[in-house]
Amino acid sequence: MLHTLLAFLPILTILILMVGFKQSSKFSLSLSLILSVAISLFAWKMSGIDIGAYVLFGFLKAFDILVIVFGAILILNTLKFSGGMNSINRAFSAISTDRRVQVIIIGWAFGAFIEGAAGFGTPAALAAPLLIGLGFPALAAAMSALILNSSPVSFGAVGTPTNGIQISIASLVGSENITSYMQEVTVLTALIHSVAAMIIPTLVVFLLVKFFGKNKSFKDALPILPFSIFASLMFVIPYFLIAKFGGFEIPSLVGGLICLGILILSAKIGFLTPKDSWDFDSQDRWPSFWVGSQKSESLQGSKHINIWLAWLPYLLISLILVLTRIPQIGLKDYLTSLKISFPEIFGVANTAYSFAYGYLPGIIPFILVAILTIFLHKMKAQEVKMAWSATFKQVGAAVIPLCAGVAMVQLMVNTGNNPQGFESMLRVMAKFFADISGQAYVVVSPLIGVLGAFFSGSNTVSNLLFAPLQFEAASLVGLKTQVIMALQNIGGAAGNMICINNIVAVCATVGLIGKGEHRLLTYNILPCLLYCLIITTTAIFLL
């Protein structure tokens, strides 16, 4: 019992400090890392060398995330100083000046497409700055991007999270049955996600008008209901059909692309969009905590460029992501082979690190396209210097919280490497939920997926960690394992709304480090739990 309480202590510390006391992620995560080190040393009896190795490995893995964040911010700043963002703002205003329509098109449809192509936090890193450029408060953009990046996640990065389940349970299912088994898991994942996805765009608009609207009233969301429900349908229909007949690699990618095209056309002709446009209050009346270092005013200037040139960097990013993420094209294997590998730290298992510079989206395509944009937009040397300088300054604020958060996760995942034979902290927490639930395990299952994503920042890692445990628990209590595997997969996706790494990364991207993390965690907990309630209710009918 003591080990269970101690295993939960770091996560409880984060929640209490960030939600209860409104502390920054820098302080909360740093303290939780120290606490995790002490618990690992004294309760799990790990050696100091092992603890040090896993912490250092966490710092190295955090560098991967920082590179992605750097690239996403650099794209925004490059467009900001080249005049491209001004042109994009005008183009979106021409499609619709309604902020409710804009958040659905960019956060939902564009975000789903980018999730399908790249995943790993890329959608929020791209969508949130784009929304800010259109005139959204930074906090509103970050909240919306995180919540909307939920339903597509299980099939993100060309199906990587679902493939993580296949890898982790292949030995339990048997190699001769795994293909047909995973096809059923894929269809169940898409079906259950689709039910929850029907409310996600609508939910985000309701939160947007309530927290950030002039009137602070849910009534302002009612006129957008036809369009938001239509947006859900235009995504989930191709999404489900592709999952059923084409496998788990491209449902989000193709579903997002189809949805994006249909919604842009619909908004242009005014199909199902509100008659009256809705906007935020004037910016001089925004509270200071809404605003990050990337203010929309800073993106307004006299310089404008051709709209096609302005959009070309994002089009190139999307094209490169598609070409490099679909295995059949042939570039993925080559790019994944481009890496700088380091041996295990102090000889400790599971600490060998590879910097996959060829496949990391922060470099290809983000930084690559940012450099190309210098020439495409004919930027001056001073403009380039300002873009890069601003980017380094913003990313610097995220270094400590990201390093502390990822290091804590790596340590907790690997606490099973101890001389006493204790299971790791994460497995202790998951087994606690399984033991107390019994036949009600269907309720607990998605929460375990959320827990894994909350810690690791990844649906894939959550699946790799907990899919075998969930399979075994479902078998013990007599539940259909395919449904439980789907709930693990979907719970890990829902956990992206609240996972610390994603929150810190998006705060760094929009300039909210130090003042936005606890608010995002507070805002997004209820949507995450609501998502879990919907998927659990749906799953009960499928058991």
Side-chain angles (χ1 to χ4, degrees), residues 167-225:
I167 292 170
S168 63
I169 66 168
S171 60
L172 297 173
V173 176
S175 57
E176 70 281 1
N177 299 319
I178 190 64
T179 300
S180 59
Y181 183 92
M182 284 307 302
Q183 178 56 27
E184 187 173 356
V185 171
T186 297
V187 173
L188 287 168
T189 297
L191 175 60
I192 299 170
H193 257 316
S194 295
V195 175
M198 288 304 301
I199 65 112
I200 288 299
T202 301
L203 175 63
V204 166
V205 175
F206 268 84
L207 295 175
L208 197 66
V209 301
K210 180 64 176 177
F211 293 148
F212 302 96
K214 299 176 189 177
N215 303 320
K216 307 289 190 217
S217 172
F218 289 129
K219 290 182 180 179
D220 289 337
L222 297 179
I224 198 70
L225 281 177

Side-chain angles (χ1 to χ4, degrees), residues 247-265:
F248 59 73
E249 286 85 1
I250 59 171
S252 295
L253 190 153
V254 176
L257 184 60
I258 292 172
C259 182
L260 180 62
I262 292 174
L263 293 189
I264 289 175
L265 178 61

